[in-house]
Amino acid sequence: MKITIFGTGYVGLVTGTCLADVGHDVMCVDVDSDKIARLKAGEIPIYEPGLESMVKHNVATGRLRFTTDAKEAVSFGVLQFIAVGTPPDEDGSADLKYVLAVADTIGEYMQEDKVVVDKSTVPVGTADKVKEAVGKRLASRGVKLGVEVCSNPEFLKEGAAIEDFTHGARIIVGTDSDRVKRLMRECYAPYIRLQEKLMFMDVRAAELTKYAANAMLATKISFMNEIANLAERLGADVEQVRRGIGSDPRIGYHFIYPGCGYGGSCFPKDVQALERTARDVSYDAELLAAVESVNNRQKQTLFTKLANAFDGDLKGRTIALWGLSFKPNTDDMRDAPSRTLMEALWEAGASVQAYDPEAMKECRRLYGERDDLVLAGDRVQAVKGADALVICTEWKEFRSLDFAWLKGQLSMPVIVDGRNLYDPESVREAGLMYYAVGRGDSLIA
């Protein structure tokens, strides 16, 4: 098939590359000429394991191409995927200006019937707005052409996006059109040969499914953080509690790891957007509001533990941070707990020595050159001479640690572990003060 993808961000680039990899002809279009030039040169603007080699391979075969020419892109594909950003507006709702701008562009240049596929995460009712925007532009041209709009939400985890796309549990398409069903089945045929996981449903149900899925996962995280905070005050070990409840198949172990809060581009904005959608239809979604509130509070826990460890005086202290990205296997720092911590430390007069395997460049882009921020070359340099170590991200290289060595590097033997990576007894036997999340005898946040 010939497929057009509007947007070369995380979702658009992964979607386009994976579809090209199974033999489709894919054209990705973006208004950012610098990004398109870099992609043509083989430079990948995001870090995602396995993506770079896949992009280069499919560009070399001619199945994947990049352009800034919207007219060319609209003419190219029978399927027109919209995979542009939907950032939160001031009130927390999803901003659809980029989605509707693409719809207007499609209406401006289409010369034959098209199927528009909403791949972006969008509120319920967006497909109607997209169809209206395309129709309005066609009417202004005095042209009568057919346009059908379906919802095909993405379910990609940063750090595992290729695996999720190629071996995901389900492919959801919202449509009531037999033609669209046929075309979307053809599009995804290479991924459903061994297992029928293509699910058709109403458009609005598909749009709501994406938000409901992310809100459910975010709820599990915030719930477990509530239990961790309670365990801390009751003298219980939340890791034992986690194993106890996770063994129940109705609950499971996924997304019940306590920590310093969730971040990234999806959970924070999607929970906010779904809550705003509820308000728009006069429904008070109290649970969603609580999920967001708990998460915002949880991001403060690292600073609070540090402040308590140093009797409230962090001025002049140097704090080592391991991990800057909001999760492992990505360079994404959007809403990352590390940012909340660093900004609080700077406000308190402390300095930061940080290391992350992938997010160093992004950190420098966000914060620039600062006297109170040192980006270390590795985890060893980050802790040298620091007063304390804080674990913000559970990268694999942080999981094994010589605690006696670490004690010799730190000016003060303090670890604040926001991801519960270590065994408290082993750390304390090495003479370090260890403060984790919900481990029974941590400093209370």
Side-chain angles (χ1 to χ4, degrees), residues 3-26:
I3 296 171
T4 295
I5 311 280
F6 277 89
T8 58
Y10 191 85
V11 174
L13 188 56
V14 171
T15 298
T17 303
C18 288
L19 290 176
D21 201 53
V22 293
H24 294 307
D25 289 325
V26 179

Side-chain angles (χ1 to χ4, degrees), residues 152-420:
N152 176 217
E154 54 87 11
F155 298 96
L156 306 177
K157 297 188 299 292
E158 292 191 44
I162 293 173
E163 176 68 18
D164 286 343
F165 194 98
T166 57
H167 297 94
R170 75 289 205 201
I171 300 169
I172 289 177
V173 177
T175 183
D176 59 2
S177 164
D178 290 337
R179 175 173 177 263
V180 172
K181 289 178 181 179
R182 176 178 58 80
L183 289 171
M184 294 300 286
R185 183 174 291 279
E186 182 181 350
C187 174
Y188 285 110
Y191 293 117
I192 58 176
R193 291 185 65 194
L194 300 179
Q195 178 185 355
E196 179 53 64
K197 52 189 176 183
L198 187 57
M199 300 174 62
F200 292 109
M201 59 182 67
D202 295 340
V203 173
R204 287 182 171 240
E207 291 171 332
L208 183 56
T209 295
K210 167 62 177 179
Y211 279 111
N214 277 355
M216 172 62 81
L217 297 175
T219 299
K220 292 183 73 173
I221 295 170
S222 282
F223 173 81
M224 205 62 206
N225 283 332
E226 286 275 60
I227 297 301
N229 294 336
L230 183 59
E232 209 160 278
R233 287 156 175 80
L234 295 174
D237 187 341
V238 74
E239 286 300 306
Q240 296 178 31
V241 176
R242 180 184 64 79
R243 291 195 297 271
I245 66 173
S247 62
D248 186 329
R250 296 171 300 175
I251 298 172
Y253 290 105
H254 293 298
F255 287 84
I256 62 168
Y257 288 86
C260 49
Y262 60 75
S265 63
C266 295
F267 287 4
K269 76 177 182 66
D270 289 355
V271 171
Q272 289 179 18
L274 187 55
E275 184 193 0
R276 175 63 197 209
T277 295
R279 279 189 276 146
D280 287 344
V281 293
S282 302
Y283 181 75
D284 183 11
E286 298 175 75
L287 181 58
L288 295 178
V291 168
E292 182 181 6
S293 176
V294 168
N295 191 59
N296 290 335
R297 183 181 64 196
Q298 197 69 14
K299 289 182 181 180
Q300 307 293 330
T301 190
L302 298 179
F303 178 79
T304 302
K305 290 178 185 295
L306 269 176
N308 289 343
F310 289 96
D311 295 324
D313 184 12
L314 288 166
K315 188 174 183 180
R317 298 288 187 181
T318 298
I319 308 300
L321 265 66
W322 281 359
L324 294 167
S325 56
F326 83 95
K327 62 179 287 188
N329 297 322
T330 181
D331 59 356
D332 194 343
M333 288 182 63
R334 284 175 287 186
D335 281 311
S338 65
R339 297 183 64 177
T340 302
L341 173 60
M342 286 192 294
E343 290 164 14
L345 287 171
W346 293 330
E347 183 69 23
S351 297
V352 172
Q353 293 178 180
Y355 168 70
D356 186 284
E358 293 296 337
M360 306 287 270
K361 184 177 179 180
E362 177 65 5
C363 185
R364 185 64 75 196
R365 185 189 72 81
L366 289 169
Y367 294 110
E369 297 288 341
R370 302 176 57 112
D371 293 337
D372 50 10
L373 173 62
V374 174
L375 295 180
D378 55 33
R379 68 177 194 168
V380 174
Q381 293 179 29
V383 299
K384 193 171 183 178
D387 292 298
L389 168 64
V390 182
I391 312 292
C392 293
T393 316
E394 62 274 33
W395 285 93
K396 287 183 179 179
E397 67 179 86
F398 302 151
R399 293 180 181 177
S400 295
L401 182 58
D402 183 336
F403 300 118
W405 166 84
L406 179 64
K407 184 181 179 184
Q409 303 300 305
L410 297 173
S411 298
M412 297 285 288
V414 174
I415 301 179
V416 176
D417 184 358
R419 299 300 177 182
N420 289 359

Side-chain angles (χ1 to χ4, degrees), residues 102-115:
V102 172
D104 182 75
T105 298
I106 294 171
E108 175 68 24
Y109 293 120
M110 60 185 284
Q111 301 295 330
E112 58 185 359
D113 293 354
K114 296 289 183 182
V115 172

Side-chain angles (χ1 to χ4, degrees), residues 417-429:
D417 184 358
R419 299 300 177 182
N420 289 359
L421 295 186
Y422 309 124
D423 173 59
E425 185 176 347
S426 298
V427 181
R428 295 188 180 109
E429 283 179 354

